[in-house]
Amino acid sequence: SIEAGLLLSQAGEFAFVVANGTLVGSATNAPYALVWTPPSANAYAITAVATDSSLATTTSAPVNVTVALAFVT
């Protein structure tokens, strides 16, 4: 799982978006945090999109994450 948060200076929405543009969750109340469990082992570029009360948006630089299979012995 990935957990992250964002502080907004105005009321708004925080959303995670995966490289293919799929919205994986959002939060509308502080602390604007989200836990996401990737659907499969893969490489993901995750961006955060902050929307303020005027509906202006700002998108973060992508964070590249590689999810590998866990082997249990």
Side-chain angles (χ1 to χ4, degrees), residues 22-53:
T22 300
L23 176 68
V24 296
S26 62
T28 56
N29 298 307
Y32 302 100
L34 169 66
V35 175
W36 171 59
T37 302
S40 63
N42 206 340
Y44 297 92
I46 301 170
T47 57
V49 179
T51 305
D52 68 18
S53 58

Side-chain angles (χ1 to χ4, degrees), residues 1-2 18 20 24 36-44 46 65-70:
S1 296
I2 296 172
V18 179
N20 63 4
V24 296
W36 171 59
T37 302
S40 63
N42 206 340
Y44 297 92
I46 301 170
V65 176
T66 300
V67 178
L69 293 175

